Amino acid sequence: MSLDRSILLFAGAMILLSVALTQWVSPHFVWLTLFVGANLIQSSLTGFCPAASVFKVFGVKSGCAFK
């Protein structure tokens, strides 16, 4: 799996997890959803994604978007 697909999978999983936590644990988990969304927007504009740096350390192959 490439780095690009790993980032998309991780972001989607975090959004679904934060929505579930907001529904069943605390409404304050909506901030996690907002953080993930803001990070997606920021990374699309700048090309820098903090999660990509972490995935590279674990040996995930680079894709086209995040090098």
Side-chain angles (χ1 to χ4, degrees), residues 49-67:
C49 179
S53 303
V54 174
F55 281 122
K56 284 182 194 175
V57 170
F58 289 112
V60 178
K61 298 179 295 184
S62 290
C64 297
F66 304 106
K67 297 193 185 229

Side-chain angles (χ1 to χ4, degrees), residues 5-19 36 40:
R5 290 184 182 261
S6 298
I7 295 297
L8 293 173
L9 176 65
F10 179 70
M14 289 302 296
I15 289 172
L16 290 176
L17 175 67
S18 65
V19 168
V36 173
L40 286 169

Side-chain angles (χ1 to χ4, degrees), residues 28-52:
H28 296 292
F29 277 105
V30 73
W31 291 105
L32 179 59
T33 309
L34 292 171
F35 173 75
V36 173
N39 194 13
L40 286 169
I41 292 170
Q42 175 270 329
S43 65
S44 72
L45 295 175
T46 65
F48 172 74
C49 179

